[in-house]
Amino acid sequence: MPKKPRLTLDEHIEMGRVLAGIRDELAHRAVQLDKTYPNSGPDGVPHKKVGAALRALDEARSALELLLSREHPDAAETTVYYPYPEDRSAVISSDRPAL
């Protein structure tokens, strides 16, 4: 079976920017849910699910960072998957102003 192609360095950079933007939006939504609903019981389920999504996204970014360092050791930097705020993709809804 042929080997699957790996992400190029540019694709890793774009993936990192987008995933960081998604994480920022999920974190914002987690805070919003925390302020408006209880953290336990049936009404707390959405908050817990968003928290689980945040943890899963963080684990994926960490795993991708390891792949980046194996695939592109000379270009690997932590800012690829953990970019500065100004380098993150904007992933926001219309009711939230851009940062």
Side-chain angles (χ1 to χ4, degrees), residues 2 16 25 36 71 79 96:
E25 182 63 20
T36 55
E71 296 165 7
T79 55
R96 181 170 167 237

Side-chain angles (χ1 to χ4, degrees), residues 5-12 15 64 68 71-72 81:
R6 302 300 178 151
L7 293 178
T8 66
L9 178 59
D10 287 340
E11 289 170 328
H12 274 289
M15 180 76 70
L64 284 163
L68 169 67
E71 296 165 7
H72 306 282
Y81 281 98

Side-chain angles (χ1 to χ4, degrees), residues 2-23:
K3 189 175 180 180
K4 290 184 178 182
R6 302 300 178 151
L7 293 178
T8 66
L9 178 59
D10 287 340
E11 289 170 328
H12 274 289
I13 291 168
E14 180 62 18
M15 180 76 70
R17 293 182 65 206
V18 171
L19 292 178
I22 292 169
R23 192 200 189 285

Side-chain angles (χ1 to χ4, degrees), residues 15-63:
M15 180 76 70
R17 293 182 65 206
V18 171
L19 292 178
I22 292 169
R23 192 200 189 285
D24 287 347
E25 182 63 20
L26 274 175
H28 169 75
R29 297 303 173 172
V31 170
Q32 182 182 21
L33 290 171
D34 189 49
K35 289 180 179 179
T36 55
Y37 291 100
N39 291 332
S40 61
D43 291 346
V45 171
H47 182 265
K48 288 181 180 180
K49 296 290 186 181
V50 170
L54 277 167
R55 287 187 294 281
L57 185 59
D58 287 342
E59 290 172 10
R61 291 167 70 198
S62 179

